[in-house]
Amino acid sequence: MNRYTISMLSLFATFFMYSQEKESILKYLQLTETDSIYLKAVEKYIIELDSFYNTYSQNEQPKKIYIQYEDYLFKLPYKISGYEIIKLGLANRKKHFRKNKNRLRLVIMTPLTLKDGRFQVRLTPYFAKLKSRKHLDLALSDWTIVFFEFKNGKLKCAETQNGGI
């Protein structure tokens, strides 16, 4: 009887600790306001990307976006508006370049900054070519800037600007 009680208590304690850990993990993975700003910026970039390809290209746009991994993009989801988001860092860079014949479009996303009284996130896609393990050539093509304004205690998307060479 004593073994049975100890087994049940240890099973209950394990379940209780796992439940608390799972709840804290779920809270940790929830997007904060800053994280949701990066999500909104990528959504706006996708809208601009789709409208560009629908207007100027007869080729179908690949549904993958390679984003240079930064710590502030940790909670960015892996799927946004039907696009697969691949965070490219040193650990997986070689693999993805190899899959794409050492060429791909790499988006570099700046952290949220304040400029001229407005918050902004800049997304700059580069045509990237991996020449060797340590040598990456980047060719600038265009950029998208998503502006945010502080209204009613929250940052709201105000406008999107595009530019290019």
Side-chain angles (χ1 to χ4, degrees), residues 151-164:
K151 290 184 180 176
N152 299 328
K154 294 193 177 212
L155 285 172
K156 304 278 184 182
C157 185
E159 71 172 299
T160 305
Q161 288 182 0
N162 295 310

Side-chain angles (χ1 to χ4, degrees), residues 104-123:
L104 54 83
R105 179 182 239 170
L106 179 63
V107 177
I108 296 179
M109 204 167 159
T110 64
L112 181 67
T113 56
L114 181 64
K115 185 175 181 182
D116 299 328
R118 291 173 33 166
F119 292 94
Q120 68 179 22
V121 174
R122 180 183 298 256
L123 293 101

Side-chain angles (χ1 to χ4, degrees), residues 2-15:
N2 202 9
R3 282 188 200 172
Y4 178 74
T5 306
I6 291 172
S7 297
M8 290 305 290
L9 283 174
S10 64
L11 181 65
F12 177 73
T14 304
F15 176 75

